[in-house]
Amino acid sequence: MLINCRRALVSAMAGVAGVVGAQLGPGDVAIVAVNTDDDSFAWVALRDVPAGSTLHFTDSSVSNGLFRWSEHLGDVVSHGPLDWTSPADLPAGTVVRWNRASREWSVGVAAGAALTLSTDGDQVIVYTGAIVNNTALAAPWTGDPTGAVMLAAANIANKGWDNLTGGTTETSFVPPGLSTSGGTAVHLGSQDDAYYSGPCRGTPVQLRAWMADISEWKTSNDAFAVTNWPAAFDVLPTTQGTFYSIR
Ligand SMILES: [Ca+2]
Ligand SMILES: [Ca+2]
């Protein structure tokens, strides 16, 4: 049965309780919508995210595993990244939307600087920890992610992750620790707005596989209304047949 992603789903969440408290890792969240026209986007938690967690979002480009420090990280105009912090546990399946106009998250607390996305190509990269300015490296690629863990990334309005050394702000390597084959780094096509329109009920592995398939997205050069974006997901336990406590 096709699940309507725009309808809020009541999620049987006991199945993912076992990962609460573990560090967030690649694929634990996913980008589900990007409008480069109005610099808004949305992501979904594919596991429970513990209260107090902070996620960072940047549109900085990557070259050979290093970030362009002057691009939405250490630039003097708008110091990045954009931060999201949750005062409460965020259940798996929750979609969190960034509203650039009001500079608010739909859930959670904002800090840092908003992303300014290019309609000629850009990326949204989610991570925990810190990317720091390592001046021992060659500028502009001094953004050192040694202390960061990449969670997810989406490339849009270009030809895809290009892996060309020293690219522009509109292109990027796949961020370190992520992969296109694992569905943790996705390409949303050559048009500049996109949202995921595929199935919204599945295991994290299934959902990432669908999200990595551009045919499961709607894309356009006109910004989509937020009401088109997926509203919630039903994230099923990865391990079937395991007993979980009843809460
Ligand atoms: Ca950028
Ligand atoms: Ca446009």
Side-chain angles (χ1 to χ4, degrees):
M1 184 183 74
L2 184 64
I3 302 294
N4 182 347
C5 302
R6 287 186 290 279
R7 195 185 65 211
L9 299 167
V10 177
S11 186
M13 285 323 312
V16 295
V19 297
V20 168
Q23 293 293 312
L24 293 170
D28 283 342
V29 305
I31 305 290
V32 294
V34 178
N35 277 350
T36 64
D37 279 314
D38 61 11
D39 300 318
S40 58
F41 63 93
W43 56 277
V44 61
L46 295 181
R47 51 156 279 191
D48 292 359
V49 177
S53 299
T54 297
L55 273 57
H56 308 290
F57 298 78
T58 185
D59 62 65
S60 178
S61 306
V62 178
S63 177
N64 291 311
L66 300 170
F67 286 73
R68 183 188 269 106
W69 183 249
S70 57
E71 184 186 356
H72 195 242
L73 287 173
D75 59 286
V76 294
V77 176
S78 60
H79 289 276
L82 170 68
D83 299 336
W84 173 90
T85 303
S86 180
D89 290 341
L90 186 80
T94 306
V95 171
V96 182
R97 296 169 175 173
W98 170 246
N99 183 326
R100 168 63 183 256
S102 66
R103 298 185 182 242
E104 291 174 319
W105 295 106
S106 56
V107 181
V109 178
L115 283 69
T116 301
L117 299 172
S118 170
T119 56
D120 295 323
D122 219 328
Q123 48 282 325
V124 178
I125 300 171
V126 194
Y127 64 96
T128 57
I131 298 171
V132 301
N133 186 25
N134 182 345
T135 56
L137 300 169
W141 308 104
T142 61
D144 185 342
T146 303
V149 176
M150 302 296 134
L151 304 184
N155 204 327
I156 187 169
N158 55 26
K159 294 178 180 175
W161 304 102
D162 66 358
N163 294 332
L164 292 174
T165 297
T168 71
T169 59
E170 297 164 1
T171 62
S172 177
F173 273 60
V174 172
L178 303 182
S179 70
T180 53
S181 60
T184 53
V186 296
H187 177 228
L188 309 186
S190 60
Q191 297 188 288
D192 52 41
D193 306 292
Y195 71 89
Y196 176 73
S197 60
C200 289
R201 185 172 192 268
T203 66
V205 169
Q206 289 173 323
L207 290 167
R208 283 194 296 270
W210 288 319
M211 290 171 184
D213 180 353
I214 189 61
S215 71
E216 301 288 4
W217 293 70
K218 295 279 190 284
T219 66
S220 171
N221 281 326
D222 296 321
F224 289 106
V226 170
T227 49
N228 289 302
W229 292 0
F233 287 73
D234 196 1
V235 182
L236 302 176
T238 297
T239 305
Q240 304 293 334
T242 301
F243 288 96
Y244 296 95
S245 62
I246 297 170
R247 301 188 290 181

